[in-house]
Amino acid sequence: MSALLDVRGLSIAFPKATPVRDVSLTVEAGETVALVGESGSGKSLTALALLRLLPERARIASGEVLFGGRDLARLGDRELRDVRGRDIAMVFQEPMTALNPVLSVGDQIAEVVRLHQGLSRGAARARAVELLDLVRIPEPQRRVAEYPHELSGGMRQRVMIAIAVACSPRLLIADEPTTALDVTIQAQVLDLLDALRRDLSMGLLLITHDLGVVAEWADRVAVMYAGRKVEEAPFEVLFATPLHPYTRGLLAASPRLEAGQHCSVGPLNEIRGSIASAAGEKGCAFAPRCPLARAACRIAVPDLVSIAPGRLSACPVTTAAPVSEACHAAPVG
Amino acid sequence: MRQLPRILTAVRRTALQSVPTIVGIVILNFFLLRLAPGDAADVLAGEAGAATEETLAALKAKFGFDLPVLQQLGTYLWNLAHFSLGISPRYNQPVAELIAERLPNTLSLMGAALGFALLTGIALGAVMASFAGRVPDKVLSVLSLLFYSIPSFWIGLMLIVLFAVKLGWLPSGGAETIGAGFSGGEMLLDRARYLVLPAFSLALFYVAIYARLTRGEMLEVKAQDHVRTARAKGLSPFAVATRHVLRNALIPVTTMAGIHLAGLLGGAVVVETVYSWPGLGRLAYEAVLGRDFHVLLGILLLSSLLVVAINAAIDILQAALDPRIEVR
Ligand SMILES: Nc1ncnc2c1ncn2[C@@H]1O[C@H](COP(=O)(O)OP(=O)(O)OP(=O)(O)O)[C@@H](O)[C@H]1O
Ligand code: SF4
Ligand SMILES: [Mg+2]
């Protein structure tokens, strides 16, 4: 059986830059895949490209986005619109601005069910109330008539989720759904997403820069750095034996994982330097920040190689000597 | 419309608050008009040609122009408090009657011009925004710049030359076919034919303004996050442009339109003169020439009332368009 979503060799280009290169990714039905990387690594562009929602000057330079046997990157505009919001839905990072300020939340939810399910005005309204209830908004009858500015950030993100799951999509893409929210609200929203994924048996592509989020909710993790996927593994494997030095840095820098994580080099766990150093790098984009970098790393971009089934890494140095140079301590257990 | 009760109190409050403003405007105008040399009696006597000192004095006494200025003001305000705008020496008719005769013509001209300007301007702006940077946008931009810079009297004259003189499709002036005795639908059609050219001349400038404003606002809204959400729902580009982009862009456009209504009254003077349209603008113009201060004061008073009413209406409209704005 083929995957629900199968992205192959996706590259995204602006007139003067190519911020996403050759990214491949699969999501199975009912599975949660996390796409992790720090700010600017190209996660949002990748997500937007799946539904061709890229900013105006950006385009898909190459690659395929296979979904249900069709390539969304080449699908006709009309057919693509039928997929958007119905088969694949999206939740965005900024709940403060992602909703239309002059339409009531009920209207914004009703809009999508009227469009894809042809419900009447009244039926769509009733469905909007149901959906608000589904995303656990108290007093949905009253809330349905309210406007976004009358709701808190967490509530708005729930409304966004209600819009996204309104037509029971097969795939939900959530681009940093909790980054803008309070820590206590974050867990609630992620719990909600996870429950909905189970109940509606959706695939979930969860984009985040926070590995703490991944630990609790993801089945599989893909790590991106400077527009490329540098490592992929089931989450237990990734946490126990991260291969790519960038992944190790991320794990070490994640405060919530400190207790179970043995790869930290010292108390100062930040990855030194910034992603901007990747610009103009000929070989491995991480070389300027990598503690293990050597001359060979700067010659050619390392290939993403398969190490075990479902396990990929793009660092020849650590792949060749995973044990000696990986974690100092024993694996978690 | 959860705001309805609040709207009503707001209207009542606006009405009360505007009373002192309007009295102030009347007093100010009263003194300003005294700055012009001469009065209606001088003009009437001058037009008569052979007026003696005695007849002039009699005229002045009849209208009270011989009294001290403050006393004249007192009389005017006293009359005003009894809802009387005084009598026009020139037309020998109550000012209120004169204005009431002309008001419908001016209102229909302004309404038609503003309605046309808004509809066309917003539509053109929406087209420009959809094709931003491409040929249709550039052509319309040049066109709107033209509309913006050509004076309305010139447009008026050229339209008369083309449609009334050359083609003979539309009348060149007036407000209706005199003595035709139309009624019902025929009358409306006849009036509409007379309205087309003046309304169009008056509107063009505003078409240009609304088109450019709508274009700019739509491009700004288009870049906002919620438009991407709308596209992610699977809405068609048209639905996104109208329901989500235009809907938000209309808020500043309506504010602008409200501000313009007062200016439209000024522009009406020129257009009404070119088309000999029997409206308030021309009445005001004639009143200035005839030093008919009572008529002028009446018109100015009415304009200020109109501006107050329009501002209140705009506040309400804005609250209806934008839920973030509370009716104060
Ligand atoms: N409109 C744009 N024009 C030019 N370059 C852009 C544009 N949008 C994004 N980029 C480039 O693409 C890169 C990836 O951006 P993207 O938004 O996908 O990052 P991200 O991983 O989602 O980061 P974040 O955590 O900040 O959301 C950025 O470094 C930026 O340089
Ligand atoms: S290839 Fe070299 S520079 Fe790149 S991550 Fe591996 S060790 Fe570091
Ligand atoms: Mg992002």
Side-chain angles (χ1 to χ4, degrees):
Chain A
M1 234 202 76
S2 62
L4 176 65
L5 174 76
D6 187 354
V7 181
R8 297 184 182 170
L10 181 70
S11 295
I12 299 164
F14 283 94
K16 288 210 177 84
T18 310
V20 173
R21 283 172 199 265
D22 198 21
V23 169
S24 298
L25 198 68
T26 59
V27 181
E28 307 284 343
E31 183 190 37
T32 300
V33 175
L35 186 59
V36 188
E38 68 197 302
S39 191
S41 53
K43 309 178 300 287
S44 293
L45 287 179
T46 305
L48 291 172
L50 304 183
L51 282 177
R52 299 220 309 254
L53 293 169
L54 287 171
E56 218 159 279
R57 290 176 313 119
R59 61 190 176 83
I60 297 179
S62 62
E64 296 172 340
V65 179
L66 300 175
F67 180 83
R70 295 188 293 182
D71 181 5
L72 302 186
R74 280 165 196 80
L75 204 60
D77 285 343
R78 193 172 291 269
E79 286 85 1
L80 183 71
R81 289 207 294 273
D82 287 341
V83 174
R84 286 178 184 165
R86 192 183 66 183
D87 300 324
I88 304 183
M90 219 165 155
V91 175
F92 297 99
Q93 177 168 351
E94 259 308 325
M96 292 306 177
T97 54
L99 290 168
N100 189 335
V102 304
L103 297 180
S104 72
V105 297
D107 283 345
Q108 297 189 57
I109 300 172
E111 190 175 30
V112 70
V113 291
R114 293 189 69 186
L115 178 71
H116 291 299
Q117 303 179 333
L119 295 190
S120 70
R121 192 177 287 269
R125 184 80 168 183
R127 179 85 180 114
V129 175
E130 272 174 39
L131 282 161
L132 286 179
D133 192 43
L134 182 72
V135 296
R136 302 172 200 162
I137 288 184
E139 299 180 83
Q141 292 284 1
R142 183 167 69 82
R143 294 292 185 182
V144 78
E146 293 197 335
Y147 291 90
H149 73 276
E150 297 170 287
L151 304 177
S152 67
M155 287 286 186
R156 289 188 214 186
Q157 198 59 298
R158 284 166 195 269
V159 171
M160 275 301 296
I161 294 171
I163 293 173
V165 301
C167 302
S168 311
R170 288 193 285 151
L171 175 67
L172 181 64
I173 304 169
D175 185 0
E176 311 221 21
T178 59
T179 307
L181 305 177
D182 284 353
V183 180
T184 44
I185 313 287
Q186 285 186 1
Q188 294 174 10
V189 168
L190 287 163
D191 267 334
L192 172 67
L193 279 174
D194 197 52
L196 289 169
R197 174 194 58 81
R198 246 180 298 117
D199 296 347
L200 306 171
S201 55
M202 302 181 293
L204 177 60
L205 179 60
L206 185 61
I207 295 174
T208 175
H209 62 252
D210 182 357
L211 276 169
V213 165
V214 172
E216 246 174 292
W217 284 280
D219 300 313
R220 215 143 44 78
V221 184
V223 181
M224 269 184 92
Y225 185 77
R228 288 177 195 273
K229 190 167 81 172
V230 294
E231 180 159 12
E232 182 179 330
F235 109 87
E236 301 89 348
V237 178
L238 189 93
F239 276 50
T241 54
L243 280 178
H244 199 282
Y246 177 61
T247 314
R248 293 180 189 173
L250 276 182
L251 283 170
S254 180
R256 287 195 236 170
L257 296 166
E258 243 165 344
Q261 190 34 247
H262 303 267
C263 281
S264 34
V265 190
L268 279 172
N269 291 334
E270 275 173 42
I271 312 176
R272 272 184 299 273
S274 93
I275 197 165
S277 63
E281 207 45 47
K282 269 209 213 67
C284 176
F286 191 55
R289 303 167 73 186
C290 180
L292 306 177
R294 48 203 65 183
C297 300
R298 298 178 187 262
I299 294 168
V301 179
D303 284 333
L304 189 64
V305 292
S306 174
I307 294 152
R311 179 98 170 92
L312 300 157
S313 176
C315 174
V317 175
T318 49
T319 310
V323 185
S324 63
E325 300 206 29
C327 294
H328 312 288
V332 191
Chain B
M1 280 278 88
R2 288 172 292 161
Q3 296 194 323
L4 196 63
R6 255 186 296 173
I7 288 176
L8 290 179
T9 42
V11 167
R12 207 173 310 134
R13 203 180 42 237
T14 313
L16 281 178
Q17 280 171 354
S18 57
V19 169
T21 317
I22 287 181
V23 171
I25 289 173
V26 168
I27 295 176
L28 194 68
N29 282 330
F30 191 89
F31 285 112
L32 276 179
L33 292 182
R34 296 294 130 168
L35 291 180
D39 55 34
D42 293 324
V43 177
L44 284 177
E47 281 171 358
T52 60
E53 285 292 321
E54 291 78 52
T55 41
L56 186 60
L59 263 177
K60 288 199 185 228
K62 179 179 171 203
F63 298 116
F65 294 153
D66 52 347
L67 299 173
V69 172
L70 280 181
Q71 200 176 335
Q72 288 185 36
L73 175 63
T75 317
Y76 187 78
L77 289 178
W78 177 255
N79 287 338
L80 202 58
H82 295 82
F83 298 100
S84 157
L85 293 174
I87 300 212
S88 157
R90 190 171 185 78
Y91 297 89
N92 207 6
Q93 206 180 347
V95 171
E97 232 173 69
L98 268 174
I99 290 181
E101 267 171 30
R102 305 290 192 98
L103 186 61
N105 283 334
T106 289
L107 286 184
S108 61
L109 178 62
M110 281 172 57
L114 191 71
F116 176 78
L118 275 173
L119 285 179
T120 322
I122 290 170
L124 288 183
V127 171
M128 282 159 81
S130 311
F131 291 92
R134 283 180 277 159
V135 177
D137 178 33
K138 288 184 175 152
V139 172
L140 288 175
S141 289
V142 171
L143 214 62
S144 75
L145 203 63
L146 268 179
F147 293 168
Y148 186 81
S149 43
I150 300 176
S152 57
F153 77 86
W154 192 83
I155 290 182
L157 291 175
M158 289 306 118
L159 288 175
I160 292 178
V161 168
L162 180 63
F163 288 100
V165 180
K166 291 261 188 248
L167 298 171
W169 290 352
L170 292 166
S172 65
E176 61 191 320
T177 311
I178 294 165
F182 290 130
S183 63
E186 265 183 329
M187 185 180 81
L188 279 182
L189 195 70
D190 180 57
R191 296 233 162 157
R193 273 168 45 82
Y194 279 87
L195 188 58
V196 171
L197 288 184
F200 190 74
S201 313
L202 189 54
L204 267 192
F205 174 77
Y206 297 96
V207 168
I209 291 188
Y210 300 143
R212 301 191 72 80
L213 189 64
T214 305
R215 176 188 185 274
E217 289 297 330
M218 279 186 76
L219 287 180
E220 204 179 307
V221 175
K222 219 176 187 170
Q224 290 171 5
D225 282 357
H226 67 82
V227 175
R228 192 179 52 198
T229 308
R231 289 205 294 143
K233 286 176 177 175
L235 293 171
S236 68
F238 182 77
V240 173
T242 49
R243 254 180 84 82
H244 292 273
V245 180
L246 189 58
R247 177 72 173 67
N248 281 275
L250 280 185
I251 296 166
V253 177
T254 43
T255 315
M256 221 28 170
I259 294 169
H260 284 156
L261 259 173
L264 216 53
L265 203 59
V269 176
V270 174
V271 169
E272 287 182 0
T273 309
V274 171
Y275 286 97
S276 39
W277 182 263
L280 281 182
R282 244 184 64 210
L283 183 65
Y285 177 67
E286 286 158 11
V288 171
L289 291 186
R291 298 285 186 275
D292 204 340
F293 294 141
H294 281 174
V295 171
L296 260 182
L297 276 174
I299 294 175
L300 291 172
L301 175 63
L302 184 81
S303 324
S304 36
L305 280 175
L306 211 61
V307 170
V308 169
I310 288 166
N311 281 342
I314 290 289
D315 278 351
I316 293 168
L317 187 64
Q318 280 217 312
L321 278 175
D322 188 346
R324 288 163 297 183
I325 298 177
E326 297 271 323
V327 177
R328 276 160 294 127

